[in-house]
């Protein structure tokens, strides 16, 4: 008789999910350093429109990106639900400003389907695929693609 276990297997992936521009997205939890609501952001002159600015996070300079603008969605509404998802990118810390945080979702790699063709194109390459849960669809971000520029 097979033993049932609640622990996750090594093939399971964990995704932190969040809302941006009305869409539910996810990032592999291994890519996330921390999630905070630190908003003393300093504007950077001449920066791309999706760059909110920079902030000092315990002595480290973090570039903050409005993920809504970066994905071609509505800009993030500035309110009390906003969070910065801090990720590492090539020895640099990047903060992804999102509308709000949702749950951590556990899935198997084979549960992630390719992104539909209607989110192809330039912005579509920012997604690894789509995860279907019982209640919703989660766009899984390819964090390396999002942070390339």
């Amino acid at each position: 008789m097979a033993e049932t276990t609640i622990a996750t297997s090594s093939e399971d992936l964990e995704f932190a999910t969040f809302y941006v521009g009305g869409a539910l997205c996810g990032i592999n939890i291994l890519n996330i350093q921390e999630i905070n609501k630190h908003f003393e952001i300093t504007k950077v002159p001449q920066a791309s429109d999706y760059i909110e600015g920079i902030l000092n996070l315990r002595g480290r300079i973090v570039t903050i990106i409005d993920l809504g603008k970066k994905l071609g969605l509505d800009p993030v509404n500035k309110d009390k639900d906003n969070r910065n998802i801090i990720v590492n990118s090539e020895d640099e810390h990047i903060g992804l400003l999102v509308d709000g945080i949702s749950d951590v979702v556990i899935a198997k790699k084979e549960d992630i389907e390719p992104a539909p063709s209607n989110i192809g194109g330039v912005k579509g390459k920012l997604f690894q695929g789509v995860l279907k849960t019982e209640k919703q669809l989660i766009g899984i971000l390819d964090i390396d693609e999002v942070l390339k520029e």
Side-chain angles (χ1 to χ4, degrees), residues 35-43 52-57 64-65 76-86 95-101:
I35 297 173
N36 69 37
K37 53 183 181 176
H38 188 72
F39 292 113
E40 294 170 25
I41 298 172
T42 303
K43 293 283 183 201
E52 277 297 302
I54 56 175
L55 64 79
N56 183 341
L57 183 65
I64 303 297
I65 293 173
V76 170
N77 290 321
K78 311 297 186 289
D79 64 27
K80 65 179 178 42
D81 295 328
N82 293 145
R83 294 293 183 271
N84 288 313
I85 300 174
I86 310 296
L96 306 174
L97 182 62
V98 300
D99 287 313
I101 297 293

Side-chain angles (χ1 to χ4, degrees), residues 9-23:
S9 76
S10 60
E11 294 108 49
D12 286 346
L13 301 171
E14 293 182 69
F15 297 98
T17 63
F18 51 89
Y19 290 94
V20 60

Side-chain angles (χ1 to χ4, degrees), residues 107-125:
K108 299 202 177 316
K109 194 170 190 140
E110 57 268 18
D111 293 339
I112 299 172
E113 299 180 15
S117 58
N118 62 347
I119 62 167
V122 178
K123 304 298 182 198
K125 74 177 184 183

Side-chain angles (χ1 to χ4, degrees), residues 114-144:
S117 58
N118 62 347
I119 62 167
V122 178
K123 304 298 182 198
K125 74 177 184 183
L126 302 178
F127 290 88
Q128 290 176 330
V130 175
L131 175 63
K132 283 188 211 171
T133 67
E134 287 179 28
K135 300 181 209 160
Q136 57 215 358
L137 292 174
I138 303 168
I140 303 300
L141 286 177
D142 183 336
I143 201 65
D144 294 329

